[in-house]
Amino acid sequence: MDWESYECPPTIYYVPNFITLEEESEILQAVDKTPKPRWTQLSNRRLINYGGIPHSKGMIAEDIPSWLNQYVACINQLQLYENGIQANHVLINEYLPCQGIMPHLDGPLFYPTIATISCGSHTILEYYDQVESNTSDSSSLLVRQHKTKILLEPRSLLVVKNDMYHKYLHSIAELESDVIDDDVANLPLLTNVNIGDVLPRTKRISLTIRHVPKTSKMKIKIV
């Protein structure tokens, strides 16, 4: 794959129509059938960990379901990681309209390359830099500065690496709809999206596929 043609900005890569409509439908149906106890309910969304629960002491590996493992295999075929490293974890997030996530870093539990497949609705991912600002009493304060934003269309793939993983916080605003403006960094790669468009959000399912370096030798099979 010619990654340079999908770069927007450096070390962020956006691939539209990475999966088909049929594959998107299969993913959404499989997620809908997930038993309620498998979900973790947070205040602003719910999620599922597949492959294990990442932990600083090491992730106890679990089998990834076959319907999901085909997409992990697909990402592994792209050779996003160095030295033959393979993805071993998938985080599924469900976002309803007006749900989002606060600015954060994914941190050192994961290899610094992530791949996200979006299904259902679009969303906008915002990136922020943290810079030191001097205060009146000569102390320093960390201030967030907006860096860029990426529109994630249904069926798209987003790959984030290196500085954009390590240095810049990312977030999703809690909105019912998004207004497209010229700050959207991947605008040239979008299909049928123009500046000024208002895009209402519906339910979005995201598959964030990544590698957890520290895992336990013990492996659990989830039926």
Side-chain angles (χ1 to χ4, degrees), residues 23-125:
E23 288 171 326
E24 178 187 40
S25 178
E26 289 170 1
I27 290 171
L28 293 173
Q29 288 178 34
V31 172
D32 280 344
K33 292 176 182 176
T34 304
K36 191 173 181 179
R38 198 74 178 82
W39 290 90
T40 298
Q41 183 67 56
L42 305 180
S43 60
N44 56 351
R45 69 191 192 285
R46 61 177 187 164
L47 57 84
I48 312 170
N49 281 283
Y50 279 119
I53 307 294
H55 193 278
S56 59
K57 294 183 178 179
M59 180 178 77
I60 299 176
E62 300 173 356
D63 284 338
I64 295 173
S66 58
W67 69 266
L68 184 55
N69 209 36
Q70 62 180 308
Y71 299 102
V72 176
C74 186
I75 294 301
N76 283 330
Q77 288 174 3
L78 297 176
Q79 299 180 341
L80 300 177
Y81 315 103
E82 297 176 354
N83 303 318
I85 290 172
Q86 302 280 289
N88 60 0
H89 182 266
V90 184
L91 179 65
I92 296 182
N93 276 300
E94 178 193 77
Y95 294 96
L96 302 179
C98 292
Q99 291 184 338
I101 188 168
M102 296 292 290
H104 69 286
L105 296 171
D106 286 344
L109 290 182
F110 308 101
Y111 186 91
T113 296
I114 63 167
T116 299
I117 299 172
S118 295
C119 300
S121 178
H122 79 282
T123 199
I124 287 186
L125 197 60

Side-chain angles (χ1 to χ4, degrees), residues 152-165:
L152 306 184
E153 298 170 291
R155 300 177 296 284
S156 67
L157 171 70
L158 180 76
V159 176
V160 181
K161 306 178 72 172
N162 302 334
D163 273 357
M164 292 305 295
Y165 179 91

Side-chain angles (χ1 to χ4, degrees), residues 122-124 149 151 153 175-184 187 190-201:
H122 79 282
T123 199
I124 287 186
K149 59 185 177 183
L151 173 63
E153 298 170 291
L175 300 172
E176 274 191 296
S177 61
D178 295 285
V179 180
I180 304 305
D181 57 32
D182 56 9
D183 287 337
V184 175
L187 198 58
L190 303 177
T191 54
N192 300 317
V193 177
N194 299 292
I195 293 175
D197 287 350
V198 179
L199 306 181
R201 293 186 189 177

